[in-house]
């Protein structure tokens, strides 16, 4: 596969960088060592201006190409954080931080973007500006959103922004590109039902919040099956039902919790509103009260089609057209790159990773380890993306 030669030559260096980051995992907004490593490397590559402090531990490296005419700029984003889980691997670069692990491959993502930065800083064979965005706290803490709030796109304006994630379900050497939704929005809700407690033998003296909750749980099943376009994907799961303490006591109240996952913003808003209305009217029908608390999580990660096509064309140059998977089904998992794609056009691709180290080589599994064999593929994709989107005129 046509990996860029100068990047192929970085295989050993990148492997060493990746394993060093793997051995020192840090959780969201605590990536101090990782950010130090990233900033020092970017500065050492030459020609890159390094900015620190967006979203606390974020790092942005800015590099201008040798061409001077275009005035254009793009952003490439990698995530740096690890997960709060113990590592089950016992190789010599396994986590040295108990209870923390790079089980999602962000060590590899950071390394691939560093590899591309090193190559591009040396060659600068493009016309315009590239911002290398190293974000903290992808795993549930919203570091991407925080970087935007802290001025990412006002300080480092980009016309387009690109991201990638390693994908163990996809063979190493392949790249998948979605022309629209890639990952779902994931929102939490909590429903607080207030009834009136009574003796189980005298239910007519009270208002039973358990019965109200049961009706809510049942009615919620229609939010998707009757309320959502069958061609659209969404899921509502009630995962906590909490009420009562005794066999013979009807409790005063009940609490339900769960998540909803959607791809389109219209469906997301509609389900939220319909669910809220349903909850209060069901409760009212029984003479009870219910409050629907919605806690928005990550938005859906939705590629813009023109940028997805550009990404796929670049992927084809690196892995060949037979190895580019166009428009596979999206996943209901969530990803905070969705915030960046709400601000700018762009594309988030899946980089084939394979289950190279065995059946436990799955994202968020304690046996996961990033596949170093794909470091040069990812770095070459980044480099080629820059040279293709910001071409130098002859
Ligand atoms: Zn993850
Ligand atoms: Zn991840």
């Amino acid at each position: 596969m046509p990996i860029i030669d100068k990047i192929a030559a970085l295989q050993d260096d990148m492997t060493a960088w990746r394993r060093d980051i793997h051995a020192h995992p840090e959780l969201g907004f605590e990536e101090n060592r990782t950010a130090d490593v990233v900033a020092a490397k970017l500065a050492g590559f030459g020609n890159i201006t390094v900015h620190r402090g967006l979203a606390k531990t974020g790092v942005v490296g800015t590099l201008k190409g040798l061409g001077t005419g275009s005035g254009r700029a793009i952003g490439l984003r990698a995530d740096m954080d690890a997960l709060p889980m113990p590592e089950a691997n016992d190789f010599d670069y396994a986590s040295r931080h108990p209870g923390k692990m790079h089980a999602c491959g962000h060590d590899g993502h950071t390394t691939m973007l560093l590899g591309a930065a090193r190559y591009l800083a040396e060659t600068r064979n493009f016309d315009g500006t590239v911002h290398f965005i190293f974000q903290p706290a992808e795993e549930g803490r919203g570091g991407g959103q925080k970087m935007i709030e802290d001025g990412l796109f006002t300080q480092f304006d980009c016309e387009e922004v690109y991201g990638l994630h390693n994908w163990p379900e996809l063979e190493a050497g392949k790249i998948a590109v979605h022309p629209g939704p890639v990952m779902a929005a994931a929102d939490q809700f909590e429903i607080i039902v207030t009834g009136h407690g009574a003796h189980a033998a005298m239910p007519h003296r009270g208002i039973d919040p358990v019965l109200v909750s049961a009706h809510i749980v049942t009615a919620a099943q229609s939010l998707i099956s009757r309320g959502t376009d069958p061609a659209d994907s969404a899921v509502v799961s009630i995962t906590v039902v909490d009420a009562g303490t005794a066999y013979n006591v009807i409790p005063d109240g009940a609490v339900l919790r769960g998540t909803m996952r959607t791809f389109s913003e219209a469906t997301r808003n509609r389900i939220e509103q319909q669910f809220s209305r349903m909850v209060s009217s069901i409760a009212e029908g029984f003479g009870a009260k219910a409050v629907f608390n919605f806690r928005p999580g990550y938005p859906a990660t939705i590629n813009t089609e023109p940028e997805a096509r550009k990404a796929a064309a670049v992927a084809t140059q690196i892995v060949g057209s037979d190895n580019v998977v166009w428009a596979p089904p999206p996943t209901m998992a969530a990803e905070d790159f969705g915030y960046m794609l709400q601000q700018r056009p762009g594309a988030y691709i899946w980089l084939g990773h394979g289950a190279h180290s065995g059946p436990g080589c799955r994202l968020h599994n304690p046996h996961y380890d990033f596949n170093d064999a794909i470091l040069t593929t990812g770095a070459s994709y980044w480099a080629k993306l820059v040279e293709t989107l910001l071409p130098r005129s002859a």
Side-chain angles (χ1 to χ4, degrees), residues 83 103-104 106 138-139 165 363-364:
L83 285 154
C104 204
H106 300 183
E138 190 286 320
E139 298 285 1
H165 207 291
L363 299 177
H364 294 207

